[in-house]
Amino acid sequence: EGMERGAEGMERGAARMEATARRLATDSAYRERQIAEARERGETVTHEELIEAARGMREGAEGMREGARSMRESAQRMREGDDD
């Protein structure tokens, strides 16, 4: 059950990452807000860097989904082992 909850959490995290990535890739006003927030922290970031970050976030989300699948498979194997 704990592994199943962990997998669900990973799926939710992946969905949030993909939503943020989609906004970074398609919403210039959202990127402008991110650039302004970075500037307030004394950092510099460009539209291009944020679009590239969106690509990395999509890859990260897929990795999280793969991890969730693996956790579910492990949980299933453990349940099957408990039934013997």
Side-chain angles (χ1 to χ4, degrees):
E1 194 171 309
M3 290 179 78
E4 197 60 43
R5 280 194 305 274
E8 290 169 5
M10 289 176 78
E11 289 285 351
R12 284 190 303 275
R16 283 190 302 271
M17 282 179 75
E18 284 184 338
T20 300
R22 191 170 24 262
R23 285 187 76 187
L24 285 172
T26 62
D27 186 342
S28 62
Y30 182 71
R31 288 192 305 272
E32 285 292 341
R33 287 191 299 277
Q34 299 304 308
I35 290 168
E37 288 175 14
R39 189 178 313 114
E40 289 175 9
R41 295 188 304 268
E43 302 169 1
T44 302
V45 66
T46 65
H47 282 270
E48 293 78 19
E49 288 170 330
L50 291 172
I51 291 168
E52 182 62 32
R55 289 186 198 107
M57 291 175 79
R58 285 188 190 108
E59 291 172 9
E62 182 53 37
M64 288 177 76
R65 285 203 167 91
E66 289 173 14
R69 279 191 293 274
S70 177
M71 286 179 78
R72 285 191 175 101
E73 290 168 2
S74 293
Q76 180 65 33
R77 283 193 301 274
M78 289 173 70
R79 281 191 300 272
E80 290 169 358
D82 289 343
D83 291 339
D84 288 344

